[in-house]
């Protein structure tokens, strides 16, 4: 509580009255006393996250959370012990990230009872969409209506204000005009879209109401809290308005509140930015986020397999800073968003990034762009399923499966907690029809399914979906049984052939040698002579100093 009060004073510098502080502390204490569950302390090799929508599966008139729960219990509960439910609140756009009401469950999905029921068999991760709220929200409606309570909940500026220094993650205008009920037009700050209105955390009432949201999520069982678009939370015209000192102080405040109210609950920051900016959200290793998204991993693995050259991936992996005992990486290859390109900048020449983008585009991927300060645009995200990102349209399913499993073997062996997107374990291809129906690129990797139909496809053993489903589940289960894959276990990158990514996880008698052939060729790899167990298939291998890796083969070897 001392840390909480100290951070509040730092952020608001004497602007908070004693009455306001007392009220805030009372809210925090009430939430603390209401929570009866105990969050897991830390993480281990058994922690694997499934990323999914609450309405991922449908079944006639049944609520979608109930449908998902049934599918999860039948097919996935033995593989994933953590479920990241993407925003399941009432929303107006962006598949949930334009939240109308933070404290309600979308009625089409179910209600809080359904969330709690799912939480009985899995640990839950919620999205805390802390940067912006829907233009259809009651808060913004009241703002436009002239309700004085909400006058400072949002930021309006003169349309001619000089905002050239502001970092832009999109091509849409930063200021969007809205007509108020009194006839006045206000130009309101909208970082991501005209339907996503940025909140003004400089106004203490916004902090109070958003802390209420955070406390609600903790009381409903969130053991992981994802801070969406968190880097943009604090605005100061004349600056970049990203990663500002008070943004970091707000994250530290959220961490302090979470540790006081529900110790063990993990704060994860979502900042799709270059690596050094990303890991700045670890703070001193103990006072800010416990996890950060490992954004360079998806494009680096993709580039390595496309180019059949792992040198950039190796250099980056070998140079990763060691985490503290209280921090780790949240690793993923695919998510509800596209494959971010900004994390590649500084790791690959721009010409190499553009070459990769062009190759993906030729195979059906969509590309989203951002505005630069000089008026130019740059690609910031490739919209594609990871299956189709790795492969050509002319490839057969055997090659598709090989490359896909190779990439996921890297993911599952890498230091940190791995997360697998629902479309990946379902072996999904690009949903071109979905893009046309939705009118935006990200729909290419957000397909929803009739649960009976997807169940039928998964029961057909020769289908690509069924093969991916079976192979990936087997690999995940193997990972959870190896102490060497504890998120904090050490990693040593091994110098090897340019087309082979190789590293050792763990130490002592727990060590596992991980080899990944990124190419379409047979490659000879030198290993210490000895007897090995080959994972996940558990057969033995007697090595006389050299083994041959087949095209796109991965292998985990334990002495």
């Amino acid at each position: 509580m001392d840390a909480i009060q100290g951070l509040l004073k730092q952020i608001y510098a004497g602007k908070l009255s004693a009455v306001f502080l007392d009220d805030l502390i009372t809210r925090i204490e009430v939430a603390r006393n209401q929570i009866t569950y105990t969050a897991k302390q830390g993480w281990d090799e058994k922690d694997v996250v499934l990323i999914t929508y609450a309405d991922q599966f449908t079944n006639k008139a049944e609520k979608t959370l109930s449908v998902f729960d049934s599918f999860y219990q039948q097919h996935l509960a033995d593989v994933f012990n953590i479920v990241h439910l993407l925003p399941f609140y009432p929303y107006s756009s962006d598949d949930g990230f334009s939240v109308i009401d933070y404290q309600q469950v979308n009625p089409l999905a179910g209600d809080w009872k359904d969330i709690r029921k799912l939480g009985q068999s899995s640990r839950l991760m919620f999205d805390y969409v802390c940067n912006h709220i829907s233009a259809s929200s009651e808060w913004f409606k009241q703002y436009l209506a002239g309700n004085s309570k909400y006058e400072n909940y949002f930021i309006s500026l003169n349309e001619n204000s000089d905002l050239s220094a502001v970092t832009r993650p999109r091509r849409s205008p930063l200021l969007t005009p809205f007509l108020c009920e009194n006839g006045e037009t206000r130009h309101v700050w909208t970082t991501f879209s005209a339907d996503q209105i940025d909140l003004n955390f400089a106004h203490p009432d916004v902090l109070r109401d958003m802390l209420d949201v955070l406390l609600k999520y903790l009381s409903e069982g969130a053991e992981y809290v994802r801070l969406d678009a968190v880097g943009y939370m604090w605005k100061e015209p004349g600056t970049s308005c990203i990663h500002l000192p008070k943004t970091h102080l707000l994250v530290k405040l959220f961490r302090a509140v979470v540790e006081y109210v529900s110790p063990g609950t993990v704060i994860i920051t979502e900042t799709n930015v270059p690596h050094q900016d990303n890991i700045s959200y670890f703070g001193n290793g103990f006072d800010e986020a416990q996890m950060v998204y490992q954004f360079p991993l998806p494009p680096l693995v993709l580039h390595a397999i496309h180019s059949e050259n792992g040198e950039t991936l190796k250099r980056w992996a070998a140079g990763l800073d060691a985490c503290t005992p209280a921090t780790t990486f949240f690793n993923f290859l695919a998510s509800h968003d596209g494959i971010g390109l900004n994390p590649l900048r500084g790791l690959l020449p721009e010409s190499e990034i553009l070459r990769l983008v062009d190759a993906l585009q030729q195979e059906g991927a969509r590309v989203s762009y951002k505005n630069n300060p000089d008026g130019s645009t740059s690609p910031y995200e490739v919209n594609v399923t990871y299956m189709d990102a790795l492969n050509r349209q002319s490839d057969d399913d055997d090659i598709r499966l090989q490359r896909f499993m190779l990439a996921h073997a890297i993911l599952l062996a890498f230091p940190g907690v791995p997360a697998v997107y629902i479309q990946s374990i379902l072996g999904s291809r690009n949903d071109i029809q979905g893009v046309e129906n939705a009118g935006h690129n990200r729909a290419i990797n957000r397909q929803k399914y009739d649960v009976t139909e997807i169940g039928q496809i998964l029961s057909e053993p020769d289908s690509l979906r069924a093969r991916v489903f079976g192979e990936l589940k087997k690999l995940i289960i193997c990972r959870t049984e190896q102490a060497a894959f504890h998120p904090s276990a050490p990693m040593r990158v091994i110098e090897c052939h340019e087309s082979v990514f190789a590293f050792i996880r763990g130490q002592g008698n727990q060590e596992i040698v991980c080899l990944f052939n990124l190419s379409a060729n047979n490659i000879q790899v030198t290993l210490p002579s000895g007897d090995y167990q080959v994972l996940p298939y558990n057969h033995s291998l007697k090595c006389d100093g050299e083994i041959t890796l087949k095209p796109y083969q991965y292998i985990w070897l334990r002495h």
Side-chain angles (χ1 to χ4, degrees):
M1 186 55 77
D2 287 343
I4 292 168
Q5 296 192 57
L7 287 162
L8 286 168
K9 289 174 183 175
Q10 275 188 272
I11 297 166
Y12 293 101
K15 294 180 181 178
L16 305 183
S17 68
V19 172
F20 184 94
L21 277 170
D22 286 346
D23 175 57
L24 209 58
I25 290 167
T26 298
R27 293 165 188 252
I28 293 169
E29 293 286 4
V30 167
R32 186 187 193 208
N33 293 330
Q34 285 177 341
I35 291 177
T36 57
Y37 69 91
T38 301
K40 178 178 177 178
Q41 305 300 302
W43 38 76
D44 56 38
E45 65 277 6
K46 299 187 182 304
D47 292 329
V48 184
V49 181
L50 174 69
I51 306 169
T52 184
Y53 285 98
D55 62 348
Q56 190 62 59
F57 304 111
T58 57
N59 186 26
K60 300 175 183 174
E62 192 176 352
K63 298 292 186 181
T64 58
L65 272 167
S66 177
V67 180
F68 173 79
D69 193 13
S70 297
F71 186 91
Y72 171 77
Q73 300 299 340
Q74 183 177 353
H75 297 290
L76 299 171
D78 60 334
V79 182
F80 299 98
N81 65 339
I82 303 166
V83 175
H84 172 197
L85 282 176
L86 292 159
F88 49 82
Y89 326 113
Y91 69 95
S92 53
S93 64
D94 198 16
D95 290 313
F97 284 90
S98 298
V99 180
I100 293 175
D101 187 339
Y102 293 111
Q103 301 220 27
Q104 298 299 321
V105 176
N106 187 338
L108 296 175
D111 55 31
W112 285 111
K113 289 181 182 177
D114 296 300
I115 298 291
R116 289 192 289 271
K117 182 174 183 292
L118 179 60
Q120 291 172 4
S121 53
S122 71
R123 297 161 62 209
L124 296 178
M125 176 170 164
F126 290 5
D127 271 286
Y128 184 40
V129 187
C130 50
N131 180 71
H132 48 261
I133 195 169
S134 168
S136 300
S137 65
E138 191 61 28
W139 293 4
F140 193 61
K141 287 179 180 178
Q142 291 297 319
Y143 171 81
L144 295 178
N147 185 332
S148 60
K149 175 185 174 182
Y150 295 94
E151 174 65 22
N152 295 308
Y153 272 53
F154 309 99
I155 301 169
S156 65
L157 297 173
N158 184 292
E159 61 181 312
N160 297 316
S161 299
D162 181 6
L163 299 172
S164 57
V166 176
T167 297
R168 298 295 297 120
R170 299 287 186 272
R171 285 197 292 183
S172 57
L174 180 60
L175 299 180
T176 300
F178 288 92
L179 183 64
C180 299
E181 286 190 12
N182 65 3
E184 176 190 4
T185 296
R186 291 191 174 185
H187 292 81
V188 182
W189 199 295
T190 52
T191 296
F192 293 97
S193 80
D195 190 42
Q196 293 169 309
I197 316 299
D198 286 53
L199 294 165
N200 178 23
F201 275 91
H203 182 48
D205 286 0
V206 170
L207 175 76
R208 179 200 61 220
D209 288 357
M210 291 304 290
L211 277 180
D212 277 349
V213 173
L214 178 59
L215 295 171
K216 170 69 173 176
Y217 295 168
L218 298 178
S219 70
E220 294 293 352
E223 292 189 44
Y224 282 58
V225 178
R226 175 186 183 270
L227 306 187
D228 176 66
V230 65
Y232 300 91
M233 263 199 309
W234 196 274
K235 284 82 174 172
E236 292 178 9
T239 73
S240 65
C241 296
I242 186 171
H243 315 314
L244 296 186
K246 288 197 175 180
T247 293
H248 283 281
L249 287 174
L250 283 170
V251 177
K252 290 178 182 182
L253 176 64
F254 297 155
R255 165 76 179 265
V257 169
V258 163
E259 289 204 336
Y260 184 70
V261 172
S262 179
T265 297
V266 174
I267 293 285
I268 305 175
T269 50
E270 185 262 340
T271 49
N272 191 353
V273 294
H275 184 68
Q276 289 305 314
D277 291 328
N278 191 27
I279 63 174
S280 70
Y281 286 87
F282 280 146
N284 67 13
F286 297 91
D287 66 343
E288 208 163 332
Q290 291 102 321
M291 292 188 192
V292 299
Y293 271 69
Q294 185 65 285
F295 276 107
L297 188 64
L300 281 175
V301 170
L302 183 61
H303 172 264
I305 295 174
H306 264 255
S307 64
E308 300 191 1
N309 186 310
E311 293 303 311
T312 302
L313 175 61
K314 292 178 204 177
R315 282 196 304 273
W316 169 77
L320 281 178
D321 297 329
C323 294
T324 71
T327 58
T328 193
F329 291 109
F330 187 85
N331 297 325
F332 70 108
L333 294 178
S335 75
H336 62 288
D337 289 338
I339 299 169
L341 299 172
N342 285 344
L344 283 181
R345 294 185 164 102
L347 299 175
L348 280 175
E350 189 69 17
S351 59
E352 193 74 9
I353 295 173
L354 295 177
R355 189 177 299 119
L356 176 63
V357 170
D358 184 59
L360 292 167
Q361 213 165 8
Q362 289 184 32
E363 295 296 333
R366 306 301 172 96
V367 180
S368 298
Y369 293 82
K370 68 181 181 72
N371 287 340
N372 298 321
D374 63 2
S376 64
T377 60
S378 298
Y380 79 88
E381 181 180 86
V382 180
N383 303 109
V384 62
T385 64
Y386 213 77
M387 175 70 76
D388 280 343
L390 288 166
N391 296 289
R392 301 176 183 87
Q393 294 179 12
S394 59
D395 288 331
D396 62 37
D397 283 353
D398 288 344
I399 288 291
R400 285 194 178 92
L401 182 63
Q402 285 177 342
R403 292 195 185 111
F404 186 83
M405 292 304 300
L406 169 69
H408 283 79
I410 295 173
L411 167 71
L412 292 166
F414 212 75
V417 172
V420 177
Y421 185 38
I422 188 74
Q423 304 293 351
S424 292
I425 199 162
L426 294 177
S428 298
R429 307 285 305 280
N430 288 340
D431 184 12
I432 303 301
Q433 187 62 51
V435 173
E436 294 175 2
N437 293 344
H440 61 83
N441 289 346
R442 285 179 169 177
I444 202 168
N445 195 24
R446 296 181 176 181
Q447 188 175 358
K448 307 295 172 65
Y449 304 96
D450 177 278
V451 74
T452 303
E453 291 177 6
I454 195 68
Q456 177 61 38
I457 295 170
L458 293 175
S459 70
E460 298 168 3
D462 294 332
S463 70
L464 179 62
R465 287 191 187 276
R467 293 169 71 189
V468 168
F469 200 67
E471 288 292 311
L472 191 47
K473 285 179 66 174
K474 182 190 299 181
L475 192 62
I476 293 170
I477 290 171
C478 176
R479 175 234 153 73
T480 65
E481 295 170 345
Q482 313 305 319
F485 291 146
H486 188 288
S488 301
M491 174 179 74
R492 300 196 314 277
V493 176
I494 306 169
E495 280 301 318
C496 203
H497 189 283
E498 67 175 16
S499 294
V500 175
F501 183 33
F503 55 80
I504 296 174
R505 288 296 311 279
Q507 53 193 352
N509 60 7
Q510 298 289 342
E511 277 190 355
I512 294 179
V513 180
C514 304
L515 304 172
F516 309 94
N517 183 356
L518 305 166
S519 76
N521 304 309
N522 289 323
I523 295 179
Q524 300 277 329
V525 176
T526 300
L527 277 180
S529 298
D531 295 327
Y532 294 90
Q533 181 185 19
V534 180
L535 304 173
Y537 305 103
N538 292 323
H539 63 261
S540 59
L541 170 71
K542 189 172 184 62
C543 177
D544 59 4
E546 200 170 69
I547 65 169
T548 300
L549 293 177
K550 296 176 183 176
Y552 304 116
Q553 184 180 8
Y554 67 88
I555 193 167
W556 296 343
L557 297 173
R558 187 171 62 195
H559 279 287

